[in-house]
Amino acid sequence: MIMRRFLTLMVFLSSVLTLCAQDVKEIQFSDKKYEYGVGKDSISLFLKVLDSDGNRSTDVTANDLDKYLVIYEDGKIIASDRRNIQELSSGQRIPSDFTFSVLVDLSIPEEGKDQIYETIGNLIASAPDSCVYLSFFGDEVTRSEVVTRQNYADFRSRFQRSSDNKFFYGAIYSKLAEFSSTKAAFEDSVKVEADYRKNVDIIDRARINKDKNILCVFTEGNIRPEDEAISFVEVTEYEANVVPKVYAFYYTGNGIDENVELTLQGVTTPRDADGSILRERQGAYSPSENLRSVLINFEEVVKDAMYDYAFTYRATDDKVYAGRVDYKAEWKGEDRGTGSYSIGAVENPWPVHEESAGDSVIKYLVALLVTLLTIGLFFAVVKILIPLIKQRRFSMKYYKKYEPVANVQRRTCYFCKQEILPGQLIVTKCKHIMHVHCWQQNGYKCSEYGQNCKTGIQDHIDWNELFTKSSLRDCYQTITGILAGLLSWIVYELLGRSIFTSLAESIVNMCFFNEAQRVNLYETCVTKVSAFLTIGFVLGFFLSLMFRFNDEYRDKNWKVYLKILGLSLLSAVIGMLAFALGAAILCVLLSAINTTYIPWYCSFPAYLLFSVCLSLSLTIKSSIPMKSALIGGLCSAVIGFIVLYFSSFSSSKYGWMSMLLDFVIYGGGLGASLVTVRMLAEKYFLVIQNGIKAGQRIPIHKWMNATGGGNKVSIGITGECEIQMNWEKSNKVAKEHAQLFIDHAKTLPVIKPLATGVIYNTRVELPVGKTTILSNGDTFKIGDTIFQYMEMD
Ligand SMILES: [Zn+2]
Ligand SMILES: [Zn+2]
């Protein structure tokens, strides 16, 4: 009986104890880590476990976490068989909001300083850059310098210096004052090195994170402090203003100095004006005659600033990470915290799987298929969908039931010449009223169209003509763009998606000003920016190359090839620069909105900027009108971006598909938008009407096309003119007498006389320097030669 009671009590007690032990109010997501590279597929989430007072729960073990913690990734439980929870020890990570100022006494014995140097190395390795500052004192106090992984080795020799004096009070005083923006009373009395100045970064960091500042002092007790203007009294009086927690590591192996001891005890346990201890500013005073334990004490302090737990899990084979991932933590079935991180990027999905030759072949075959489908889609839109909509809108607007009006004589159909009866369907587009069936029988146009009628025609799909060669030729610019997109994507994949890592690092270093957020987002940003630059280069190059190659009408000799290549390289560089600027905007935006992940809209400016700049670069030395390039570029960039960021191919086999679609859709869209002017120009000829050259047909679209070769035909007597009138015997023809070109605003061909005597349609003399629109069949006379302007199919 007693035994049973005792047992019950024990069970009760233990359950109470467990309950107390697991006062878990919040699971805080502090950071994440994952690495690119074949075979790397684990993600670490760094967690802090907080109790109801907001302090870290010290009595929760990794085992407890394993039992009670469940983390959801995008709403799905991360199964316990693929996760691993670890309590963190030193050598792991320190949050970026901590600031360590380390002050080293140069009178510490040589081997001691060597060990301090090594131990600080561990701190540097586990802290983000710009967290650790180092200074020395001895004959003078040196300024605090930031120590990073890169410059750490440069500090070694600084530790090896020795000193004869020990300006101890001034050193402590000035390092304490460095955390405060207000000037301390005795700052100017400190014996400092020649070019000493306060490190303003420390002040800035301390202002943002008030409770995460640590001053570590390494000193020893053999050499006694100098007599200074500042003494024990001034230092302890400053206590009330102390911002950082002070941790003093006091080596007593070679002797003890009472003044040093008292001062260190004072600053590590600061008191307010009433003499009560400032708990939240309390550090620790750790004397030891053993150098090793001095360093162990230091490591304890460092460890205290670290994250508590690492929750590591493997990515499953069927998931691709390409952007924001949302996490939710549950403790014993109750929600205890959320976090969002960017893992991978849509430009460069994570993880990277090893591809066998077979996998690659399949991948490129699928890509080819997707490209062909995209061509089909564009064809359907341009050749079927848009005409169909136009046809439908026309029918709704102009097909009407005939209603005779009183006192108006009966009307006859212009096509079949029969009377139109009330209620019959007629077409009211032009004044030549026709039956709908007659209209359609006449090929969806007015019977007078082309002679007395300029407006009576309806867009329609001619199914018989749809799949002919000429119909496909209308789409050739679009197809060129799509193929250029495919080619760019293949090169992008083969290059490993990002090849400008060091350039990307400099951009991110320059433009990412939010320090606290940077530690989490830095690598993701660099990956993304590097991918941006690669996309800019590759897409810029191949789009320009293929468009220009396709539209160069002249005979291609090596000079022409070289020019195309040079201009394409220029486009590549422009594309890259545009993306570099876009990346800078991305970093600034990210810093400003202060998220733990990269939202989609931060990438948007980069894509728009790229597209605008690339379109403009395509107008260089070509006749693509700027307006059409801009509008086309913007539209296709927007559509491509929507597809890129909102298509979710969550199967790991097709993680690359979003980028491929963006490339081919962007290329196709750009091609489609550049085609309009060119298509009009293809139909233009000049036919000579009289003289020895009568009947000769000059295909002026050769010079007046939308892309490549210029948009101008000049007519005159010299050889510099495209049409040299060397047959003309009169002396009435000027060196350059007239120009023909396409007016981009109206997308119509025009003539502009440069000299007098251009006779238009045998009647009017055209004014010099003014443009006149040319219509099919118009004639103009220069000298004695009459040209007829013809549009032909
Ligand atoms: Zn009729
Ligand atoms: Zn008509």
Side-chain angles (χ1 to χ4, degrees), residues 499-731:
I499 51 171
F500 297 106
T501 312
S502 53
L503 185 57
E505 274 172 358
S506 358
I507 292 173
V508 176
N509 283 334
M510 216 158 55
C511 305
F512 211 120
F513 57 81
N514 190 330
E515 279 292 331
Q517 184 196 26
R518 191 180 150 133
V519 62
N520 159 15
L521 281 178
Y522 183 78
E523 266 151 60
T524 312
C525 263
V526 169
T527 308
K528 208 177 180 69
V529 171
S530 177
F532 273 1
L533 299 174
T534 316
I535 293 168
F537 190 85
V538 170
L539 209 51
F541 182 77
F542 285 108
L543 280 174
S544 172
L545 189 74
M546 294 206 40
F547 282 137
R548 285 178 191 280
F549 187 81
N550 225 354
D551 286 313
E552 188 60 67
Y553 265 69
R554 290 168 298 176
D555 287 339
K556 295 189 184 76
N557 56 28
W558 64 272
K559 265 187 187 167
V560 173
Y561 281 122
L562 212 63
K563 188 181 149 198
I564 294 176
L565 196 68
L567 286 169
S568 303
L569 278 174
L570 179 71
S571 291
V573 171
I574 289 174
M576 209 171 122
L577 287 177
F579 256 125
L581 190 59
I585 295 173
L586 169 92
C587 292
V588 171
L589 261 180
L590 267 178
S591 303
I593 57 175
N594 199 16
T595 50
T596 52
Y597 56 91
I598 305 176
W600 63 268
Y601 53 82
C602 287
S603 311
F604 191 50
Y607 282 88
L608 277 192
L609 207 60
F610 163 74
S611 186
V612 168
C613 294
L614 178 67
S615 306
L616 290 181
S617 91
L618 287 178
T619 64
I620 299 172
K621 298 263 180 191
S622 81
S623 69
I624 298 173
M626 199 166 283
K627 197 172 143 197
S628 122
L630 272 180
I631 294 172
L634 280 176
C635 290
S636 29
V638 170
I639 296 168
F641 186 82
I642 290 171
V643 171
L644 178 62
Y645 272 80
F646 298 96
S647 65
S648 55
F649 294 93
S650 55
S651 164
S652 64
K653 267 188 190 157
Y654 301 112
W656 42 265
M657 185 88 83
S658 304
M659 206 68 228
L660 170 67
L661 282 177
D662 178 56
F663 276 30
V664 293
I665 288 173
Y666 176 66
L670 200 59
S673 65
L674 299 183
V675 79
T676 32
V677 174
R678 211 201 114 69
M679 292 315 295
L680 281 169
E682 208 164 22
K683 297 184 274 184
Y684 306 146
F685 293 86
L686 285 185
V687 184
I688 297 174
Q689 298 293 298
N690 59 346
I692 49 164
K693 294 269 182 180
Q696 190 185 353
R697 236 164 63 144
I698 308 166
I700 53 173
H701 58 72
K702 238 163 74 174
W703 302 289
M704 281 167 68
N705 57 44
T707 50
N711 173 33
K712 192 192 78 181
V713 182
S714 43
I715 305 172
I717 203 77
T718 65
E720 272 144 25
C721 296
E722 278 78 17
I723 299 175
Q724 186 191 3
M725 295 175 66
N726 49 11
W727 62 84
E728 181 75 29
K729 294 289 172 271
S730 75
N731 52 2

Side-chain angles (χ1 to χ4, degrees), residues 153-168:
D154 306 342
F155 283 88
R156 168 143 234 153
S157 60
R158 313 276 294 274
F159 279 81
Q160 284 155 359
R161 289 175 305 169
S162 58
S163 66
D164 303 324
N165 304 302
K166 184 173 187 154
F167 286 97
F168 171 74

